[in-house]
């Protein structure tokens, strides 16, 4: 019997089948019998197989279908296949769940899925096979990011070339707008949107994003279509007998020879009509541009620049909130884009290279970040800095931002660090990048300062974030280049009068060309700032007095957090178990405010406190270097910290001001309370007999004793009052037991003034509540146990206890009366 072997794209799932058996498969029957070759028959067969067959067998069948069927038949199954892989756009269907698929957990399924979706795998062969036949597929506009969807629905074409000539208006009676996408675009739209359209993973399901199939596929697609070495590989052969024609887009996007900033829209259109036909390389490079535009639009374009410029923060209606997984994938994109742009040779990256003939890929490398990424990333980061929760998950956003700020880390000629582990100096080569991304460095740094002033710096995770930012900005020569960029922006325009009337908009550099002598560094910096912040923006210099004040406040909080960490470390020396036991017995402090409940108990170990102190110490040193703070200024901050003790040995009140209705906490005071640095002295002001039952008391016994003492007080109130009114020793003895000695020493509820207040005196009364305490009962049991060791029975022991207490009470009465005489 003859055998045939399925394609060996998955070595773990290769099986041998008799030809007769394979021909019995439904899709083989469709090939054998022409009258069954209906578009819906193949689709129905594959849908049935997706339910009845295991995953490995389904993928083998799909490989055979892709190779054997013509594009006309595959056109009908393509939308269903894409949705079955990446899930539905509404998040109901999860598809293959690539965001949770890991090689360590499901090695067989992981290997099959990765090889099937690889840039050189069967799925991409299907895309190229359909691309060669000029098919298109409808993609609903309602599933696009908010600003894009709103723009299209308002009949305004978005600025991205990705949407040009693709909007399809519905026919009469139709529902919604659609985009007509070619197969490659349709596949990438679904792939990119599956990151944000699927529901977030439950908190109990811990998955490392970098190990998931989706994250690794993103990395593979970036490495394939945005290569750092060589050129983009050509489309794969989709038929056994030969190669398919080079699939070009139906409406090619921007030409790659016209990315320069001095080409008008008209010139760009004309050069596009000639370059596409003249340069065959532009037929191949369009995939790289499409992939980058899709990733940027789907992952970053969720907040409109216009609304940001009006409100100085994304509008409240733009409620999209990225997940930590989303941010990690964007960071991967940014890191690869830096490596992609830095793969240009030095002679190609120089400004003079623009005038020479360069390949489309080289032009694309030069323009990828400023043309497609910069603006949308800035608004995306601004929203994250302003709306992300004040917890440790912000580390993902922080590292994404820091990765963008340091393109030199991804340059091929990275310098090795010295033996002394000193950070390397940032080369002057990166000055143009820093100047053209000035707001990324300055305004976002100010946004981070405002976040840091509201976080718990005692937490090692928050201390690490402050340390990371300070370390990056303290790199040698980086501060000087940022200052140079600010000087270029702030310098007045004194030459060429018509330049003062020029509008610095996002597209101004395309609308009218400038002579080379006018396009200087100052113009580029101003164009960058005005395009993102608007023409009437109020720029706050990073090294100006306002930001310096914020830095000094942060330095003050760092010093305060170090002292708090030290005090916590001292408290950690004492065993928590021992402290709780002593408190339970009543010998330890029962003040619940002496500990720091705002801090995570898991982060309060000695190692974590040591790390916190190390991070904060280095961060303070880096801030001193960046802003040139003197030792005298830091010493003055320490003295003005307000951490000194008052005359009673108690910590001062939180920072506040006195208003018309009492004390008003300042932002610093709120920070001090949240982090346990300071607190108000809170003491019970009501009837001690009616205060809440404590954890060290027996609830039922306290209530029974209260009823008993209340009955005695009602019955014997007259006699107790008569005894307490006597002026002899018996009267003093009764007053010591039947009145509240601290009643006349109560303070006002408000800490302002701290003057004493007289409260209406309550009559003498008996209180038996102390007998309901675990401590009292345990001490009595211990006393009886010790007495039994000396052969003393319960009754004699009780008499001895009563006698001992009478002697103690007599002594306390004499001391109390003597104290009153001294006060007079």
């Amino acid at each position: 019997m003859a055998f045939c072997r399925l394609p060996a794209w998955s070595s773990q799932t290769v099986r041998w089948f008799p030809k007769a058996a394979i021909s019995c498969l439904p899709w083989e029957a469709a090939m054998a019998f022409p009258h069954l070759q209906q578009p819906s028959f193949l689709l129905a067969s594959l849908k049935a197989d997706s339910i009845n067959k295991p995953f490995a067998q389904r993928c083998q069948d799909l490989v055979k279908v892709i190779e054997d069927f013509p594009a006309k038949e595959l056109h009908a199954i393509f939308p269903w296949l894409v949705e079955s892989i990446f899930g539905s756009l509404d998040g109901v269907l999860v598809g293959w769940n690539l965001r949770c698929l890991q090689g360590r957990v499901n090695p067989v399924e992981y290997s099959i899925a990765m090889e099937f979706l690889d840039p050189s795998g069967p799925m991409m062969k299907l895309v190229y096979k359909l691309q060669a036949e000029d098919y298109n597929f409808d993609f609903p506009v309602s599933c696009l990011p908010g600003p894009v969807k709103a723009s299209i629905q308002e009949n305004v074409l978005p600025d991205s070339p990705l949407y040009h000539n693709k909007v399809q208006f519905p026919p009469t009676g139709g529902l919604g707008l659609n985009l007509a996408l070619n197969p490659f675009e349709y596949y990438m739209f679904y792939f990119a949107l599956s990151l944000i359209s699927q529901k977030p993973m439950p908190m109990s399901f811990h998955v490392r994003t970098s190990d998931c199939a989706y994250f690794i596929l993103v990395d593979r697609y970036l490495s394939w279509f945005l290569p750092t070495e060589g050129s983009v590989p050509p489309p794969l052969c989709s038929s056994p007998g030969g190669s398919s024609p080079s699939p070009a887009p139906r409406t090619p996007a921007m030409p790659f020879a016209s990315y320069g900033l001095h080409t008008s829209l008209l010139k760009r259109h004309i050069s596009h009509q000639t370059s596409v036909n003249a340069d065959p390389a532009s037929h191949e490079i369009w995939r790289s541009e499409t992939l980058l535009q899709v990733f940027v639009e789907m992952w970053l374009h969720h907040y409109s620049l216009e609304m940001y410029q009006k409100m100085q923060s994304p509008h409240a209606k733009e409620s999209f909130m990225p997940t930590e997984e989303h941010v990690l994938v964007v960071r991967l994109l940014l890191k690869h884009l830096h490596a992609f742009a830095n793969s240009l040779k030095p002679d190609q990256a120089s400004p003079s290279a623009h005038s020479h003939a360069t390949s489309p890929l080289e032009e694309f490398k030069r323009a990828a970040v400023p043309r497609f990424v910069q603006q949308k990333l800035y608004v995306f980061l601004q929203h994250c800095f302003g709306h992300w929760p004040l917890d440790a998950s912000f580390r993902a956003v922080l590292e994404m931002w820091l990765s963008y700020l340091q393109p030199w880390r991804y340059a091929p000629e990275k310098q090795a660090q010295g033996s002394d582990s000193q950070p390397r100096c940032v080369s002057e080569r990166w000055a143009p990048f820093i100047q053209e991304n000035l707001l990324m460095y300055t305004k976002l740094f100010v946004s981070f300062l405002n976040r840091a002033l509201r976080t718990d710096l005692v937490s090692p995770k928050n201390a690490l974030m402050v340390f990371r930012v300070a370390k990056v900005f303290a790199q040698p020569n980086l501060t000087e280049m940022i200052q140079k960029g600010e000087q270029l922006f702030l310098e007045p325009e004194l030459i060429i009068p018509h330049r003062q009337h020029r509008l610095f908009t996002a597209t101004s550099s395309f609308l009218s060309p400038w002579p080379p002598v006018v396009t200087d560094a100052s113009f580029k910096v101003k164009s960058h700032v005005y395009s993102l912040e608007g023409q009437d923006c109020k720029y706050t210099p990073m090294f100006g007095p306002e930001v310096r004040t914020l830095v000094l406040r942060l330095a003050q909080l760092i010093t305060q957090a170090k002292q708090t960490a030290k005090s916590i470390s001292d408290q950690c020396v004492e065993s928590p178990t021992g402290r709780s036991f002593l408190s339970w017995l009543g010998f330890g402090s029962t003040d619940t405010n002496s500990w720091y409940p705002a801090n995570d108990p898991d982060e309060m170990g000695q190692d974590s406190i040591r790390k916190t102190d190390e991070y904060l110490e280095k961060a303070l040193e880096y801030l001193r270097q960046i802003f040139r703070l003197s030792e005298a200024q830091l010493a003055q901050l320490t003295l003005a910290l307000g951490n000194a003790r008052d005359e009673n040995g108690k910590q001062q009140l939180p920072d506040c001001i006195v208003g018309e209705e009492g004390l008003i906490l300042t932002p610093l005071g709120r920070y001090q309370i949240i982090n346990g640095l300071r607190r108000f002295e809170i003491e019970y002001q009501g009837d001690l007999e009616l205060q809440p039952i404590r954890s060290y008391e027996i609830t039922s016994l306290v209530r029974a004793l209260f009823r008993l003492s209340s009955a005695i007080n009602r019955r014997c109130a007259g006699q107790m009052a008569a005894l307490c009114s006597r002026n002899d020793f018996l009267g003093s003895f009764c007053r010591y037991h039947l009145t509240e000695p601290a009643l006349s020493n109560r303070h006002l509820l408000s800490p302002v003034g701290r003057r004493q207040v007289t409260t209406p005196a309550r009559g003498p009364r008996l209180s038996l509540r102390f007998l309901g305490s675990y401590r009292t009962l345990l001490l009595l049991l211990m006393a009886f146990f010790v007495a039994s060791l000396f052969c003393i029975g319960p009754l004699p022991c009780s008499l001895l206890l009563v006698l001992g207490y009478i002697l103690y009470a007599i002594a306390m009465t004499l001391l109390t009366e003597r104290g009153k005489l001294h006060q007079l």
Side-chain angles (χ1 to χ4, degrees), residues 86 91 101 155 225 236 281 318 406 465 511 526 532 536 559 563 606 610 619 651 715 765 811:
F86 301 125
L101 185 60
N155 297 327
F225 295 107
L236 304 172
E318 297 173 318
Q406 303 177 86
M465 287 191 280
L511 295 177
K526 294 175 185 290
L532 294 178
D536 56 348
T559 306
Q563 295 180 2
Q606 289 292 333
R610 178 183 55 80
Q651 202 169 17
R715 182 179 295 271
R765 58 179 179 174

Side-chain angles (χ1 to χ4, degrees), residues 1-4 16-22:
M1 179 181 295
F3 287 84
C4 67
W16 294 84
F17 296 93
K19 285 187 176 181
I22 293 181

Side-chain angles (χ1 to χ4, degrees), residues 261-263 267 495-496 498-499 502 509 512-521 523-524:
L261 299 182
H262 310 298
T263 306
K267 289 182 178 180
I495 60 173
I496 305 184
H498 68 272
R499 190 176 168 190
R502 176 169 173 76
S509 56
S512 56
W514 282 100
V517 294
V518 180
T519 309
D520 55 5
F523 172 76
K524 291 182 179 180

Side-chain angles (χ1 to χ4, degrees), residues 698-713:
I698 304 174
T699 303
S700 57
L701 185 57
V702 168
R703 291 172 178 169
L705 291 172
F706 176 75
R707 289 192 291 269
L708 175 61
S709 59
S710 298
I712 295 175
N713 291 331

